Amino acid sequence: MNQHADIARDAVRPKSKFRPPAVHQVRVGGFFGPRIDTVATVTAHTLLDRCIEAGMLDQIDPDRPNPGIRIPFQNNSTVSTQMFWDSDFGKSIETAAYALFRKPDPALEARVDAVIEAYARLQDENGYLNSWYQRIQPGKRWTNLRDCHELYDAGHLIEGAVAYYHATGKRRLMDIMARYADHIIDVFGTGEGEIPGYCGHPEVELALVRLGRATGEQRYLDLAKFFVDQRGRAPHYFDREAEKRGEGPKDYYFGSHEYTQSHEPVRDQRRVVGHAVRAAYLYSGMADVSTEFGDETLQPALRSLWEHLTDKNLYVTGGFGPSHFNEGLTFDYDLPNETAYAETCAAVSLVFWASRMLGPGPDRAYADVMERALYNGALAGLSLDGTTFFYENPLESRGGHHRWRWHRCPCCPPNIARLVASVGTYIYGEAENEIAVHLYCESIAELEAAGIKVRIAQETRYPADGAVRLTVDLASPAEFALHLRLPGWSPGVSVHVNREPVDLAAGTANGYLTLRRVWAAGDVVELDIDMPVERLRAHPKVGADQGRVALQRGPLVYCLEEADNGAFLNSVVLRPGSAFRCEPAEDLGGAVALVAEASREAADAGGPLYRTEAPSRAAATILAVPYYAWDNRAPGEMLVWIRQEEGA
């Protein structure tokens, strides 16, 4: 008999703290509304089109011939079958689910239902479901957890299944994946004949928590905790597994188990290492387990990992992982701009992790980073028209970096699409007698506090400006706490309740204002968040950014593009006292652009390579646009970190 139940019984089980609302509880407008509409009408179909064009349905559907090489890329290369294709379909189904919640689309729903039925035909009688091991490499299941994504694939299909159930009410895929999860419970454990392992690419942990919450079945939460607890224990499972395959542990391509964050037990980890996306997925699962089980033993590791990332390894855009080699971390303060990898999936998964760090309670340290990663490093991964995608996200380009139509490893397109389409679930948090507002965006949320339904209508043009109005509606007066984030980037916030000013000093903790009162229908909370243009400077150990500044207004980081400023962007030099004015960029959907006076150094083509005299400068007007919107117009250079005159 496996040990999952025994592990679970050892944990303290308080009532759950803050959980995010499900997607069907929040209707989003404002800044994200048009983006969700684009995902619903364009991107959701585009993802399915390109998955099928790549041959994914051929790999999944047992009624189709075995797949072969299929999809051409923009560099004229092709891609063959992939072990992680189930994950891409899972995320695409999740995106489609959110699209269907946004607006009915019978054609899209029929397409998803057809894919679900293909999975139903593929599933083994015992519940096993993985197209790679059933169609491409039969007989090798559970033999290479380190490299081959079996549980990772299951995780994304589980998340797609839960989303599809919430959005449409259809249980077909969720029942399929619950059967698979039950099979995994039978296979994994520390008992005789069971596998005491875990996935080389974490993800299934957070997916199992979502399945447990949706079904109310404790065994899925217990399995998530099992995978978290087993990771990195000695003797190392991946070494034993490799030996069974006839391989030496020292033959591992990446050399160290730091790549998979399994180099030591998770509670002992203090530094973010290895593959960036795997890291943030693991920490997301750890945070979920900590919240669901009241497991405080995970918190020291989670807090230290968070501080190590945000204090020494996070790009100003909220991206992380500078290296192409391991798609992840190298050494502290290694934050190059032009060669930054900063995978879109890394910023997306950082949003996941930050959101889950809010489980114990509101804390601006996490919500501010969630917002930074969401609006900048993640959102840049999707073009404004919803059809092309960034995989890498540099902070400087000479003009040759552009979005992909598709990718050999198409993990990022559905990942950013599902995040944008489900952004309403990140805006709020629910607890027994508390509601938290983590993000500001026009929305209507149907939440619960103090045992009653609470409707919150949020009106705002944020991030265009910082005025936010929240109207509370409930059937009868009730007492609960409403927590409001006071953004760390803002030098000043004022709050009024029913036009009466609130003393922020008396009610603020961890960057949130807590309003605990008896609420009645029609109560109005108004925030006025100062949103000046800030010039950010990097830590002295970030060599690439010295003598330079990054522009930020509200949650948005800005960049210069050749389309507005001409070529040779490194010749731009900001003046210390230059004022900025805001103008709408109509060719970027009305995004707020920043205009300022600066200088430009002469960039003549002739003359010696090195010289003693300083280059001449001329006055110039520059225009900066939000980083998320770059590469949506004419191709050209891009620059985030701008030179600034000394003494500024």
Side-chain angles (χ1 to χ4, degrees):
M1 181 177 177
N2 67 52
Q3 305 300 306
H4 304 136
D6 292 336
I7 291 171
R9 278 195 294 269
D10 291 338
V12 178
R13 302 283 187 88
K15 290 184 178 179
S16 179
K17 297 182 181 178
F18 282 86
R19 285 179 170 179
V23 68
H24 65 275
Q25 292 178 251
V26 186
R27 288 278 182 182
V28 178
F31 176 84
F32 278 103
R35 288 157 180 81
I36 299 173
D37 290 336
T38 298
V39 170
T41 57
V42 178
T43 312
H45 282 284
T46 296
L47 294 174
L48 291 177
D49 288 343
R50 293 178 191 170
C51 284
I52 293 170
E53 183 182 352
M56 292 186 190
L57 195 56
D58 292 342
Q59 177 169 303
I60 289 159
D61 192 344
D63 290 347
R64 291 171 174 256
N66 278 328
I69 293 175
R70 196 58 79 88
I71 192 168
F73 291 92
Q74 53 214 67
N75 61 357
N76 294 319
S77 65
T78 55
V79 66
S80 60
T81 55
Q82 299 283 8
M83 67 184 70
F84 43 73
W85 272 357
D86 287 339
S87 73
D88 299 320
F89 251 142
K91 286 179 285 188
S92 298
I93 290 170
E94 186 176 352
T95 301
Y98 302 141
L100 291 169
F101 171 71
R102 185 72 178 183
K103 70 180 197 64
D105 186 337
L108 178 62
E109 189 168 352
R111 297 184 73 185
V112 174
D113 288 344
V115 174
I116 291 171
E117 290 308 312
Y119 274 113
R121 291 191 293 273
L122 180 65
Q123 187 168 35
D124 283 356
E125 288 186 8
N126 66 5
Y128 184 85
L129 183 61
N130 182 283
S131 64
W132 177 261
Y133 282 106
Q134 289 173 287
R135 299 270 282 157
I136 308 301
Q137 287 195 338
K140 293 187 177 182
R141 64 186 63 171
W142 309 131
T143 60
N144 190 349
L145 296 177
R146 185 189 70 188
D147 304 325
C148 291
H149 294 68
E150 246 167 313
L151 291 169
Y152 169 83
D153 290 341
H156 281 305
L157 281 171
I158 287 171
E159 290 198 89
V162 171
Y164 203 62
Y165 166 68
H166 282 313
T168 67
K170 294 181 177 180
R171 293 189 57 100
R172 177 68 161 156
L173 184 56
M174 194 163 74
D175 289 341
I176 289 168
M177 295 313 301
R179 281 188 61 212
Y180 188 17
D182 290 339
H183 174 69
I184 295 170
I185 289 172
D186 291 338
V187 169
F188 284 82
T190 57
E192 184 68 27
E194 295 172 339
I195 298 175
Y198 39 86
C199 194
H201 197 313
E203 206 284 334
V204 71
E205 298 84 354
L206 60 96
L208 286 165
V209 171
R210 289 186 69 179
L211 183 62
R213 289 172 175 172
T215 62
E217 297 292 345
Q218 183 66 38
R219 63 183 181 276
Y220 302 132
L221 303 178
D222 295 343
L223 180 59
K225 188 174 190 301
F226 170 81
F227 286 134
V228 167
D229 289 343
Q230 285 296 111
R231 195 171 204 87
R233 288 186 174 181
H236 202 288
Y237 178 76
F238 291 158
D239 290 344
R240 295 160 62 192
E241 179 188 69
E243 289 168 351
K244 287 182 181 179
R245 295 194 304 269
E247 302 171 8
K250 293 184 179 179
D251 297 331
Y252 183 38
Y253 177 78
F254 289 101
S256 168
H257 294 306
E258 287 189 351
Y259 178 73
T260 58
Q261 296 80 41
S262 61
H263 55 296
E264 57 188 353
V266 297
R267 289 169 179 80
D268 297 335
Q269 296 186 26
R270 294 296 184 269
R271 300 177 69 256
V272 180
V273 296
H275 188 277
V277 181
R278 297 175 197 233
Y281 277 156
L282 171 62
Y283 310 147
S284 297
M286 289 167 60
D288 266 345
V289 167
S290 178
T291 296
E292 291 299 321
F293 288 86
D295 189 345
E296 293 296 325
T297 67
L298 288 163
Q299 285 299 316
L302 284 166
R303 288 192 290 267
S304 293
L305 291 163
W306 182 269
E307 290 168 2
H308 180 243
L309 175 65
T310 58
D311 290 350
K312 299 178 180 179
N313 291 282
L314 188 67
Y315 279 103
V316 70
T317 55
F320 74 105
S323 172
H324 182 275
F325 168 71
N326 67 347
E327 296 186 310
L329 282 294
T330 52
F331 53 88
D332 290 348
Y333 303 108
D334 182 27
L335 295 167
N337 294 316
E338 188 173 0
T339 60
Y341 199 69
E343 184 183 341
T344 295
C345 279
V348 169
S349 60
L350 180 56
V351 174
F352 297 164
W353 180 21
S355 174
R356 287 160 172 82
M357 291 296 284
L358 295 166
D363 191 326
R364 187 171 68 193
Y366 308 122
D368 276 1
V369 172
M370 176 171 70
E371 182 180 62
R372 179 180 297 278
L374 172 64
Y375 276 93
N376 302 289
L379 194 55
L382 179 64
S383 64
L384 294 179
D385 67 6
T387 64
T388 55
F389 313 89
F390 275 142
Y391 196 96
E392 307 97 330
N393 290 276
L395 282 73
E396 179 177 352
S397 172
R398 302 184 196 186
H401 186 76
H402 306 293
R403 289 179 178 83
W404 291 77
R405 178 180 178 274
W406 204 236
H407 196 274
R408 283 181 171 273
C409 176
C411 54
C412 295
N415 222 6
I416 180 56
R418 68 175 179 146
L419 174 62
V420 170
S422 63
V423 73
T425 67
Y426 299 91
I427 297 174
Y428 302 95
E430 295 177 283
E432 187 176 11
N433 293 299
E434 303 169 87
I435 292 173
V437 182
H438 302 307
L439 301 173
Y440 298 108
C441 181
E442 183 179 308
S443 54
I444 297 175
E446 304 289 344
L447 308 171
E448 185 173 313
I452 65 170
K453 300 296 183 181
V454 179
R455 183 178 187 267
I456 295 181
Q458 188 176 158
E459 301 169 81
T460 181
R461 294 180 60 247
Y462 189 99
D465 66 49
V468 181
R469 178 185 173 94
L470 303 167
T471 303
V472 178
D473 188 21
L474 62 176
S476 59
E479 182 177 354
F480 61 88
L482 180 64
H483 303 280
L484 306 172
R485 181 174 66 98
L486 309 177
W489 45 257
S490 178
V493 181
S494 64
V495 179
H496 291 74
V497 177
N498 297 332
R499 299 188 177 182
E500 293 294 325
V502 175
D503 180 5
L504 271 61
T508 299
N510 297 324
Y512 277 71
L513 171 66
T514 297
L515 301 173
R516 186 178 298 277
R517 65 196 301 271
V518 176
W519 297 90
D523 282 344
V524 174
V525 180
E526 294 175 293
L527 298 90
D528 191 0
I529 305 170
D530 291 345
M531 201 174 281
V533 177
E534 301 281 5
R535 304 186 192 203
L536 305 182
R537 293 168 174 81
H539 189 283
K541 290 185 178 180
V542 184
D545 299 337
Q546 299 315 299
R548 296 173 180 262
V549 296
L551 303 178
Q552 178 173 315
R553 179 178 181 270
L556 300 180
V557 173
Y558 281 74
C559 66
L560 303 181
E561 279 200 279
E562 184 177 338
D564 306 301
N565 303 283
F568 307 111
L569 295 178
N570 274 304
S571 69
V572 173
V573 183
L574 280 175
R575 298 170 178 172
S578 293
F580 291 87
R581 66 179 185 272
C582 297
E583 294 184 357
E586 299 299 346
D587 54 351
L588 293 174
V592 175
L594 306 179
V595 181
E597 299 306 313
S599 300
R600 294 200 73 147
E601 294 181 345
D604 59 276
L609 181 60
Y610 303 104
R611 58 194 76 181
T612 57
E613 67 276 11
S616 61
R617 290 183 179 180
T621 300
I622 62 167
L623 186 145
V625 299
Y627 176 79
Y628 75 77
W630 86 275
D631 196 49
N632 277 281
R633 300 171 296 176
E637 295 182 28
M638 182 276 294
L639 185 68
V640 170
W641 287 96
I642 306 166
R643 294 170 59 197
Q644 181 160 279
E645 289 180 359
E646 294 181 6

